[in-house]
Amino acid sequence: MIDTLLAGAPDWALTHAAIMVVVIPMIASAIATVTFSGRLSWTIAFVAVLGALACSLIVLGQVREGDVPFVSYAIGGWVPPLGIQYLIDGLNAPILVLVSATALVCLLFAPFSVTAEIEKDKRSLFYATFLVAVAGLLGVAATGDAFNIFVFLEISSLSTYVLVAAGARRDRRALTAAFHYLILGTIGATFFVIGVGFLYMATGTLNLLDMARLFADDPDLSAATTVRAGYAFIVIGLGLKVALYPLHTWLPDAYARAPSLVSTFIAATSTKVALYALIRFQFAVFEPTQSFQALSLAWLIGPLAAAGLVIAAVQAVMQGNARRVLAYSSVSQVGYMLLGVALATYAGVAAGVLHLMTHALMKAALFMALGLVAARMDARRVTDLAGMARLMPVTAACFTIGGLSLIGVPLTAGFVSKFALFQAAAAAGAWWAVAAIAVGSLLAFVYVGRLLEVIYMREPTAECRAALSGKSTPILALSVLVFVAAANVGLGVDARFIESLAQGAASAVGLSPGGAS
Amino acid sequence: MFSSLTVHYNYYIVIVLMMVGLYAIFASGNMIKRLVGLSVFQTSVFLFYITIGKVLGGDPPILPEKDKSKDKTDYASDVVAAPSAAEQPLALEGQGGAGAPSLRDEQVAPAGEDLAPTTMQSASADASAGNVAGFTQDAAAYGDEKAGKFLDAGEALAAHNAAETPLATVDPGVVAATFPASALDATYSNPLPHVLILTAIVVGVATLAVGLALVVRVREAFGTIEDDDLNLAEHEADLVEAGR
């Protein structure tokens, strides 16, 4: 499919795909802001995201099959490193495709969900903000300039705060959740920009490639206190965005109270993009062989990831709100990814990136299924889902597939990535990580099992039946959900494509198989 | 320590502002006070960036236009030529140490002079590849152990672009003709942190705007913006949700 796209695309698309990925949603959001019809706004959003997806697929094709394994685009023709450069290689090309594909899937599912949850006169602005969020996330993934990452990170974060607050119609606590998220997210982004400032002081450049070269050439520079301070600030700032364990407190409320569409989208994308940025800085820019970095990976990020894995999973078991279960589960799964990254080996980073991709798929299916239920009745608590299997069988089946994938049952995508993590941890000799993954999987079984038990084993309440009797789920939304759930199984059966993407990502940051970085 | 205080007092102020802002965020019980703390925190970052960009005795980094009526002799009238491959890009900062990197050492040379910023150009940089090869190094200069794939990207990029048209650069001839020589020789403060701070200020303003809009909505929905009352309201809602 990518080949036909590459063959058929016009020349201007092939040259400028790297920048159009970001520019198309951005301009479309400006247009969508001034339209007053929700439907027109949705159409604009759909076309824009389709364009962004096409461009990201073109870029992925160019990265994988071009004569150089990356795409570089100098903004405005200004020569890097003075000019801003978009550098898309094996690590961020899959992220671009992931974000735009998730946005497309969410938009297909959107009309049904948004009609139920957002007021009519706010729908066009909602889609416009959604496009800004998409553009911001794509920008973080595409750019090769450190300060540009901050700008796009803030663009995506600000629009996400607004999107989360849009859930106030159903639950006014969405407003306080959005405010809490704003405060913590801004602290995180500001920490990141302080780190970039330190790096600029030390190296004189903002271009990631240039910084990497300067650090590689001069071990004294990369061990300097300024650089170490920059590293600390950047890791903590991005760690907050990625929901590293003690910095995750914004996530459960934001995911639980936001509109269903927003939860689906940000659960599948926002922490993943921040994780990409973290991997980029950890392995491509900084020297992972430096002692302070190796120490922080082994003694700070690793243990925090493992702790978050287990603690968040325990909290997920105890939640009464269905979406909070999934939110704490997301924190736990981010722990898996960070565990893979903290191993600092080729296999570890590849497994982390693989889990990043499969988790996006799993959570998209799960949140989407809950979104379909929420669009038809106000279902928040786990007990509200009682007996869903009888009333909405297809949705329940897709939820089950997503849940089994989360546990890591063989033949699902989740199994592939968890197994890769197991292997990587065992190969690195990190038995504490293996233990953490095992305990986490067991706890996942418990909290997913609890949800499945409620959905399948209980009788639906009378109010539930009454609420669901009138309308039925539209075919489009249902088929999108089925597609995502089927993708979980399909990738579980044949994971070669995403495995090759993950391996390409690990090698793009300079790691090589067979030995430490 | 005392000398450090007098020399680096700006950084101490940055630290104090940062901590005051963070404390205000954590310790205040009111949404607006929290936003004010956030603003103070962000302001410390602005000050930090400005401090690293300031060059003592440096002018504001604005190149004055040449006054065309006064000096016609060294104004090459047909100098607006396409950038040629032989021109060098604007030189970059040298490797910074702990101090503020500035453009004081780099000046745009009139056409014909050769600038050699050593860190940024490899010995074998071709003129046509000079634009982009300027920021990578010779493959030979890499030890095999050091060259990771990400850095290979820079090399491969240079090789890849060597065959193609070089990207647009600033023609020093044009620059020399348009600006007075004294402007080119002067010392300027580093313009890049100034630009970064303008961006960061805009981001800060946008964040404050969204935050205050949320405060207004919270006031409408809950009737209060005090943390204690909001926590109570949320707790009650949680109980209702759990107990029903």
Side-chain angles (χ1 to χ4, degrees):
Chain A
M1 180 183 58
I2 298 181
D3 297 329
T4 49
L5 197 59
L6 277 178
D11 267 339
W12 52 265
L14 289 175
T15 334
H16 297 291
I19 181 74
M20 289 206 307
V21 150
V22 179
V23 165
I24 292 177
M26 219 187 266
I27 294 183
S29 77
I31 300 175
T33 313
V34 298
T35 61
F36 293 108
S37 152
R39 275 182 215 265
L40 186 56
S41 198
W42 180 88
T43 318
I44 295 171
F46 183 73
V47 169
V49 169
L50 202 58
L53 180 62
C55 291
S56 57
L57 285 172
I58 291 176
V59 167
L60 182 65
Q62 288 175 331
V63 165
R64 281 164 70 81
E65 279 136 45
D67 33 327
V68 281
F70 57 85
V71 172
S72 161
Y73 189 90
I75 305 290
W78 297 107
V79 182
L82 274 184
I84 294 178
Q85 179 189 30
Y86 276 23
L87 188 64
I88 303 176
D89 59 7
L91 179 62
N92 46 359
I95 307 286
L96 288 175
V97 174
L98 177 72
V99 173
S100 40
T102 308
L104 189 69
V105 161
C106 286
L107 276 177
L108 283 172
F109 149 77
F112 181 52
S113 175
V114 168
T115 317
E117 296 190 11
I118 313 279
E119 297 97 337
K120 195 159 200 288
D121 50 351
K122 294 197 180 159
R123 278 177 215 159
S124 66
L125 288 175
F126 178 81
Y127 287 118
T129 319
F130 182 80
L131 281 172
V132 175
V134 172
L137 290 168
L138 289 170
V140 174
T143 187
D145 181 285
F147 196 80
N148 215 215
I149 292 181
F150 164 69
V151 173
F152 278 115
L153 201 62
E154 282 289 65
I155 289 176
S156 66
S157 299
L158 282 172
S159 44
T160 310
Y161 309 148
V162 173
L163 288 173
V164 167
R169 187 189 184 207
R170 273 266 172 102
D171 184 353
R172 63 180 186 166
R173 292 172 296 168
L175 297 171
T176 48
F179 188 78
H180 190 54
Y181 185 12
L182 184 150
I183 298 289
L184 287 177
T186 309
I187 295 179
T190 313
F191 267 44
F192 178 77
V193 83
I194 295 173
V196 168
F198 277 117
L199 289 186
Y200 179 66
M201 271 174 85
T203 58
T205 177
L206 291 169
N207 187 295
L208 294 180
L209 203 58
D210 206 26
M211 274 189 218
R213 188 184 57 80
L214 286 168
F215 288 143
D217 289 347
D218 187 354
D220 290 332
L221 177 65
S222 54
T225 319
T226 319
V227 172
R228 287 198 277 182
Y231 173 78
F233 274 104
I234 286 178
V235 164
I236 296 298
L238 288 175
L240 199 149
K241 292 285 183 185
V242 95
L244 180 59
Y245 173 59
L247 307 169
H248 70 291
T249 50
W250 55 269
L251 197 148
D253 287 331
Y255 282 26
R257 312 261 161 76
S260 315
L261 178 70
V262 172
S263 301
T264 313
F265 181 65
I266 60 179
T269 55
S270 69
T271 47
K272 317 294 176 285
V273 170
L275 181 64
Y276 148 75
L278 191 60
I279 295 177
R280 174 72 79 196
F281 272 97
Q282 283 274 9
F283 295 103
V285 176
F286 290 102
E287 283 285 286
T289 49
Q290 280 286 343
S291 63
F292 71 87
Q293 190 164 343
L295 279 177
S296 75
L297 277 174
W299 289 102
L300 182 71
I301 297 182
L304 282 179
L309 219 167
V310 174
I311 297 177
V314 169
Q315 287 184 297
V317 170
M318 301 191 295
Q319 294 304 314
N321 180 315
R323 281 201 278 164
R324 281 181 86 98
V325 173
L326 294 181
Y328 278 105
S329 162
S330 284
V331 178
S332 178
Q333 299 293 318
V334 162
Y336 281 95
M337 299 172 218
L338 284 167
L339 209 54
V341 167
L343 294 173
T345 57
Y346 177 85
V349 174
V353 174
L354 189 61
H355 196 69
L356 186 158
M357 294 189 278
T358 59
H359 178 244
L361 212 53
M362 295 188 264
K363 275 292 150 54
L366 288 167
F367 272 108
M368 218 183 288
L370 285 185
L372 284 182
V373 175
R376 294 177 64 184
M377 57 175 265
D378 187 9
R380 291 187 219 172
R381 290 163 297 156
V382 176
T383 46
D384 287 341
L385 295 173
M388 272 306 139
R390 265 163 264 255
L391 300 170
M392 299 176 74
V394 180
T395 310
C398 296
F399 187 87
T400 311
I401 294 175
L404 292 177
S405 200
L406 204 55
I407 298 174
V409 167
L411 284 188
T412 58
F415 172 72
V416 173
S417 56
K418 279 213 179 146
F419 190 64
L421 280 167
F422 253 122
Q423 280 183 314
W431 299 106
W432 54 273
V434 175
I437 296 174
V439 171
S441 297
L442 197 62
L443 289 167
F445 178 70
V446 175
Y447 61 72
V448 172
R450 186 171 154 248
L451 286 168
L452 292 180
E453 186 258 333
V454 167
I455 290 175
Y456 279 96
M457 302 295 181
R458 298 205 193 164
E459 282 293 325
T461 61
E463 324 160 319
C464 200
R465 278 188 203 273
L468 287 175
S469 59
K471 333 147 222 181
S472 67
T473 320
I475 295 292
L476 181 62
L478 206 53
S479 43
V480 168
L481 175 60
V482 168
F483 174 72
V484 174
N488 263 301
V489 176
L491 285 176
V493 168
D494 180 8
R496 282 170 305 171
F497 181 60
I498 50 171
E499 273 176 358
S500 73
L501 286 179
Q503 284 161 356
S507 51
V509 293
L511 297 167
S512 50
S517 54
Chain B
M1 191 228 129
F2 204 60
S3 66
S4 158
L5 197 63
T6 47
V7 170
H8 297 304
Y9 60 90
N10 253 22
Y11 294 102
Y12 285 100
I13 295 176
V14 167
I15 296 174
V16 166
L17 276 177
M18 204 183 288
M19 292 304 116
V20 165
L22 278 176
Y23 180 76
I25 296 173
F26 299 148
S28 65
N30 179 302
M31 289 172 88
I32 292 188
K33 285 185 189 171
R34 191 159 283 158
L35 283 174
V36 170
L38 197 65
S39 292
V40 172
F41 177 53
Q42 289 179 315
T43 307
S44 75
V45 178
F46 305 158
L47 186 61
F48 174 57
Y49 268 76
I50 293 169
T51 310
I52 65 181
K54 173 68 184 162
V55 172
L56 293 174
D59 291 341
I62 303 170
L63 281 175
E65 283 277 330
K66 183 182 279 266
D67 191 358
K68 294 177 193 172
S69 62
K70 281 192 185 167
D71 211 334
K72 284 192 182 142
T73 47
D74 47 351
Y75 196 90
S77 53
D78 50 353
V79 92
V80 187
S84 65
E87 304 303 343
Q88 300 197 352
L90 267 179
L92 305 154
E93 284 94 284
Q95 221 168 50
S102 72
L103 282 175
R104 63 187 300 167
D105 300 322
E106 285 71 36
Q107 297 155 15
V108 178
E113 246 177 46
D114 210 73
L115 268 181
T118 49
T119 55
M120 295 292 145
Q121 286 200 327
S122 62
S124 65
D126 209 23
S128 62
N131 296 328
V132 182
F135 85 107
T136 61
Q137 270 195 345
D138 258 358
Y142 274 139
D144 265 338
E145 351 39 80
K146 280 199 240 174
K149 288 278 175 54
F150 186 60
L151 293 171
D152 285 348
E155 263 176 57
L157 183 59
H160 185 70
N161 284 332
E164 309 193 5
T165 325
L167 300 166
T169 62
V170 179
D171 185 341
V174 178
V175 177
T178 325
F179 301 106
S182 59
L184 300 177
D185 289 335
T187 305
Y188 295 104
S189 284
N190 192 345
L192 185 58
H194 296 183
V195 169
L196 300 183
I197 279 313
L198 284 175
T199 311
I201 289 175
V202 170
V203 168
V205 167
T207 309
L208 193 62
V210 173
L212 288 173
L214 280 173
V215 170
V216 170
R217 290 285 311 273
V218 164
R219 177 75 167 80
E220 285 172 7
F222 287 87
T224 172
I225 57 172
E226 296 292 327
D227 253 4
D228 297 333
D229 303 332
L230 285 172
N231 282 341
L232 205 60
E234 286 200 28
H235 186 60
E236 282 170 5
D238 282 340
L239 286 177
V240 165
E241 198 177 76
R244 213 189 322 151

